[in-house]
Amino acid sequence: MIDVVTIQWGVAIAYIGACLFLILGQRVEQWDKAALLLTGLALLTHFSMIVVRGLDSGQIPIVTRYEDYTVDAFAVVAIYLLAQWRWPQLRRTGILVLPIAALGVVVALNYSRGVFPMGPALRTNWLIIHAQLNSLAIGFAILTAASSFMLRKDSSGIIGRLMSWTFLSWSAMVAAGSYWASIAWGRFWGWDPIECWSLATILAYACVLHLRFNPAWANGYRSIFTGLIPFGLMMFTTYALVFVMRSVHGQYVFQ
Amino acid sequence: MFNVTSSTLKIAWKFIASHTLAVWVLALITLAVLGAGTLPQSTRLSPDEQEGWQTEWETTSYWFDTLGISDIVGSWWFAALCVILIINMTAGTIDAFLRKWAFFKGSQKHSHEAQGSGLPPEGITHFIGGSVTTAESTSRIRGTLGLLGLPLAHLGIALIVLASFWRAETGFNDYFELSVSEVFAGETSKLQRRQPLPSELDTLIQLDRVNIEVAEGDYIGELQGFFSFQHKDGLVEQEMVQSNQPLRLGNYELHTQNKFGHSAVFERILPNGSIRKLYINFTVERSEWGKPWSGQKEQAVRFDNAPLYYYMTQTNSEPPTFNLQVNKGRGVIFDGTLEPGDVADLGAYKLRYQGMVPWLGLNLALVKNVTPIFVGFVMTLLGFLLHLLIPSRRVELIIDDKGWHTRAWVASGDAAFEQKWNTWCRQRGAETA
């Protein structure tokens, strides 16, 4: 029987392979189709892996850092596939997006794959809503960042649209977390470091979205640079903040 | 006298409603919020931590206090930024809505134009809502609901900000630790931030026992507190409180936190013979919960404003021992090992050690005025969703003897329409403008 590590490496290699096909697809279109087919199959395997993990542990697999990275990487690829189906111009962004997802899948393997019981504070549907919106926002954010590097000047509308979806899903994640906090702790907001950085991410995205009304800031290097600021805030808040700052959330996240 | 002309007012309105102002205010609030999340904030520090910060960083903390950086979100300038944001948002939304409305009504210049001979592209006639065969001019606006999206979202944000200020004035939330058999009646000294309760807590809360299970790998399996509550009318109730299941006590709610430990329980016997309980809480690592445990703690214990310094060590020996050294100034006034029932004479009072019991971290919250905030969240998200899912577009089609002529009013960045338009125009080999 093939073990999870082999499957996970297989998924990561498939994403890298699809990325190489997309690079070749710049000259011969057939490679593009092969890339999408391979990505689709890898995503299906990725999804099956998450489902099996959930069935094995008897709980939604978003409790550990291993599970979080795996689910986030899944969201990144799923959103990429859906978005490029809606806007074919985005297909080429897979050259950046797919290796990032592969990296997520491989990094996940560095963390314990043990099954840990969900703490009492996490036994609520709000965890599912909150965490899934977080993964969704990360998926959109990575696609937006990749698009701003790879799309042509005339695709500024698509980048703005993707950024709007990032903003919406991250804001919904914060709103869901706020409601959950009001149930769990009796306060909807506490100006805790994670809460502050999450709000700063929303505000920074709002700022950049408003900035994009000015055509001079909607294209080119200025657009890439300004778009990377909220993206950086989001990545730091999600993956690094609990390691460098004491936060009330630290005792709950990624047991 | 100032001569305020209409052009001055127009310029002022244009500035107040501008995206430029929005960008600057949002950027400044972002920086302020990042500061609030990163720098030491008085609202986040316990009184002891606050004292430590002010002692160790005397000059920095002085300037932080002077400039309002030690409580950024409570500062006047942060409130001012929020007020400017609300004004800008309101003005900007009204301005943008009126301009968009005028745009889609066709009173402003169109964004797309094409013409050709023969039949018009199928997509355009479909958009208009039927076949157009005779000489006529038809126009149709689609997605009017989408126009309401951004105003609704901005209204929601304004509601969140205003309701948050209101809630900050009227709400209450503080952390406290309660040991088994200890009674809490709303004493300010028990609360972490030592703020007085805004209204009386008309219930006595006693922790009867805890059920804390730590699974292998230091994961909390269960964390429950079993309490007795005595109401003002004398009625006693018993309830269990656990995560995500707070207990309502009049206007207040009691919530558990993921914090627990062991508490050394003493009876302080005063010279007049009266007895008061003294609880000193030790934090216990999750891995040590439920096992024979050792710990150390230093704490200044005040009595009549005169602090005595307790140096305590709980030793994991058989039987467990509790070593206590008490200093007054530089002099040691007691140094010995206590077993349950032993008495230490500290001069000002005697201390009878009773043993160790568990303590549980709790939050006491005043639940008031939160509904408008969540209504604001829903309005914001729903509004933005409407804006994203329902693009507003207006297309006009004119057919005459020479052929067809179409114009469209579409917001910039509407990539989906752009695609459609290009397809339509390609279908009939139209000349686009």
Side-chain angles (χ1 to χ4, degrees):
Chain A
M1 187 145 169
I2 307 170
D3 70 344
V4 176
V5 180
T6 312
I7 297 173
Q8 201 137 344
W9 270 105
V11 167
I13 290 165
Y15 289 151
I16 297 288
C19 162
L20 294 174
F21 287 177
L22 282 171
I23 293 170
L24 293 171
Q26 293 183 96
R27 297 197 173 179
V28 184
E29 210 190 325
Q30 265 68 18
W31 285 109
D32 270 1
K33 286 179 184 163
L36 293 180
L37 187 68
L38 185 59
T39 309
L41 287 173
L43 188 71
L44 212 63
T45 314
H46 197 155
F47 181 66
S48 314
M49 220 163 60
I50 293 169
V51 171
V52 169
R53 169 88 183 175
L55 292 173
D56 271 356
S57 61
Q59 60 193 25
I60 182 118
I62 43 177
V63 181
T64 64
R65 199 163 279 277
Y66 160 74
E67 291 168 343
D68 180 58
Y69 276 71
T70 307
V71 171
D72 286 354
F74 172 79
V76 169
V77 181
I79 287 169
Y80 160 71
L81 273 187
L82 284 173
Q84 68 80 36
W85 170 67
R86 176 82 179 78
W87 293 297
Q89 302 95 304
L90 289 173
R91 189 166 297 164
R92 207 64 58 204
T93 59
I95 293 171
L96 280 180
V97 169
L98 293 173
I100 292 172
L103 185 71
V105 171
V106 173
V107 168
L109 288 172
N110 285 325
Y111 294 97
S112 169
R113 292 186 308 283
V115 173
F116 302 106
M118 207 178 260
L122 302 179
R123 288 180 214 141
T124 162
N125 289 336
W126 285 103
L127 168 73
I128 301 169
I129 298 167
H130 185 58
Q132 297 311 302
L133 285 167
N134 185 285
S135 299
L136 201 67
I138 285 164
F140 276 120
I142 287 175
L143 186 59
T144 310
S147 307
S148 62
F149 278 110
M150 300 201 64
L151 289 193
R152 289 200 317 266
K153 202 178 171 183
D154 59 359
S155 300
S156 149
I158 295 176
I159 298 169
R161 202 107 186 127
L162 286 173
M163 195 177 277
S164 299
W165 280 105
T166 310
F167 171 77
L168 179 70
S169 41
W170 185 262
S171 302
M173 182 276 290
V174 170
S178 171
Y179 188 74
W180 181 13
S182 77
I183 297 169
W185 301 328
R187 58 145 182 88
F188 74 99
W189 198 260
W191 298 108
D192 176 83
I194 282 198
E195 292 166 20
C196 285
W197 280 74
S198 303
L199 178 62
T201 304
I202 293 180
L203 291 163
Y205 267 115
C207 185
V208 173
L209 283 170
H210 282 85
L211 200 59
R212 293 179 66 85
F213 281 101
N214 182 341
W217 290 86
N219 293 298
Y221 289 113
R222 282 176 171 185
S223 153
I224 294 173
F225 174 71
T226 50
L228 284 180
I229 294 171
F231 174 71
L233 289 177
M234 183 191 281
M235 293 300 129
F236 182 75
T237 307
T238 307
Y239 297 116
L241 191 62
V242 285
F243 293 120
V244 294
M245 289 202 73
R246 196 183 61 180
S247 161
V248 69
H249 296 256
Q251 56 181 313
Y252 298 97
V253 292
F254 308 130
Q255 289 199 39
Chain B
M1 287 289 287
F2 292 105
N3 183 15
V4 182
T5 61
S6 64
S7 64
T8 315
L9 283 174
K10 267 186 192 168
I11 291 168
W13 172 260
K14 214 175 161 186
F15 174 71
I16 290 169
S18 67
H19 285 129
T20 310
L21 181 62
V23 166
W24 278 106
V25 176
L26 284 167
L28 289 173
I29 297 180
T30 305
L31 288 175
V33 169
L34 282 176
T38 313
L39 301 170
Q41 297 293 288
S42 57
T43 47
R44 228 174 21 234
L45 300 175
S46 69
D48 294 338
E49 288 171 326
Q50 177 80 9
E51 209 177 301
W53 150 247
Q54 281 171 341
T55 315
E56 280 180 46
W57 299 85
E58 203 179 333
T59 314
T60 315
S61 65
Y62 167 78
W63 282 108
F64 270 36
D65 287 345
T66 310
L67 299 171
I69 298 173
S70 54
D71 179 15
I72 290 174
V73 295
S75 66
W76 66 266
W77 56 266
F78 185 78
L81 281 174
C82 292
V83 170
I84 296 171
L85 181 72
I86 289 179
I87 294 170
N88 167 250
M89 222 162 48
T90 312
T93 305
I94 293 169
D95 190 65
F97 182 77
L98 292 177
R99 271 191 292 116
K100 262 193 185 171
W101 188 249
F103 180 67
F104 287 111
K105 292 300 271 183
S107 51
Q108 286 188 19
K109 196 179 179 316
H110 51 269
S111 55
H112 298 69
E113 187 172 13
Q115 58 194 19
S117 53
L119 284 174
E122 206 177 314
I124 294 176
T125 46
H126 181 72
F127 186 99
I128 297 288
S131 58
V132 184
T133 50
T134 53
E136 58 183 297
S137 160
T138 319
S139 78
R140 180 164 186 184
I141 300 175
R142 285 199 175 187
T144 321
L145 197 62
L147 278 180
L148 298 176
L150 284 183
L152 185 66
H154 284 104
L155 192 65
I157 295 167
L159 185 61
I160 295 167
V161 177
L162 293 172
S164 299
F165 275 114
W166 185 34
R167 160 81 186 158
E169 292 301 314
T170 56
F172 175 86
N173 190 302
D174 210 343
Y175 170 80
F176 69 103
E177 291 166 0
L178 200 62
S179 304
V180 166
S181 74
E182 188 180 6
V183 177
F184 178 70
E187 298 92 339
T188 308
S189 58
K190 279 291 291 175
L191 299 167
Q192 189 178 54
R193 289 204 290 270
R194 293 176 198 159
Q195 293 169 329
L197 269 62
S199 63
E200 195 190 344
L201 177 71
D202 47 13
T203 309
L204 298 177
I205 304 169
Q206 178 182 293
L207 178 61
D208 295 330
R209 68 184 175 91
V210 295
N211 174 29
I212 298 165
E213 291 170 18
V214 179
E216 198 181 332
D218 304 342
Y219 303 102
I220 299 175
E222 286 299 343
L223 194 148
Q224 295 161 331
F226 296 84
F227 297 85
S228 293
F229 303 94
Q230 186 175 10
H231 300 286
K232 224 173 185 177
D233 55 9
L235 182 71
V236 175
E237 282 182 293
Q238 289 183 320
E239 294 280 355
M240 187 260 285
V241 181
Q242 61 182 351
S243 288
N244 301 312
Q245 288 177 28
L247 188 79
R248 196 82 191 230
L249 299 167
N251 284 332
Y252 290 92
E253 269 182 2
L254 191 66
H255 299 255
T256 54
Q257 290 277 312
N258 261 8
K259 289 181 182 173
F260 50 85
H262 291 309
S263 182
V265 188
F266 299 95
E267 277 183 346
R268 190 152 51 186
I269 307 160
L270 304 180
N272 63 7
S274 63
I275 295 175
R276 287 190 209 162
K277 286 266 178 150
L278 175 67
Y279 295 86
I280 294 180
N281 294 353
F282 289 75
T283 303
V284 179
E285 293 297 323
R286 285 181 188 178
S287 56
E288 293 188 55
W289 186 256
K291 297 174 189 165
W293 160 84
S294 295
Q296 281 189 327
K297 185 162 187 172
E298 296 174 15
Q299 186 171 328
V301 179
R302 288 178 189 275
F303 175 67
D304 279 350
N305 284 330
L308 294 179
Y309 292 92
Y310 287 38
Y311 299 92
M312 296 160 284
T313 310
Q314 163 80 14
T315 311
N316 173 21
S317 57
E318 195 54 52
T321 58
F322 189 83
N323 300 312
L324 174 70
Q325 182 189 320
V326 182
N327 291 10
K328 187 178 184 181
R330 289 188 179 179
V332 178
I333 56 173
F334 179 83
D335 190 357
T337 300
L338 298 175
E339 282 182 28
D342 287 351
V343 176
D345 192 345
L346 308 185
Y349 53 87
K350 287 179 182 167
L351 207 58
R352 183 185 292 135
Y353 176 60
Q354 293 196 303
M356 302 291 280
V357 295
W359 63 261
L360 194 60
L362 298 160
N363 255 29
L364 187 71
L366 180 65
V367 188
K368 222 174 161 186
N369 311 329
V370 282
T371 312
I373 293 165
F374 295 116
V375 171
F377 277 135
V378 172
M379 283 166 67
T380 305
L381 298 175
L382 188 68
F384 208 71
L385 204 60
L386 280 180
H387 165 68
L388 283 177
L389 292 180
I390 310 179
S392 311
R393 298 155 181 170
R394 176 167 184 258
V395 173
E396 182 188 69
L397 178 63
I398 302 162
I399 297 178
D400 54 25
D401 300 340
K402 293 172 193 164
W404 57 270
H405 180 200
T406 184
R407 295 188 298 175
W409 287 260
V410 177
S412 63
D414 187 344
F417 184 84
E418 217 60 62
Q419 264 180 353
K420 278 184 188 171
W421 180 262
N422 291 338
T423 313
W424 295 343
C425 291
R426 270 201 306 273
Q427 276 173 1
R428 297 287 181 199
E431 295 168 27
T432 54

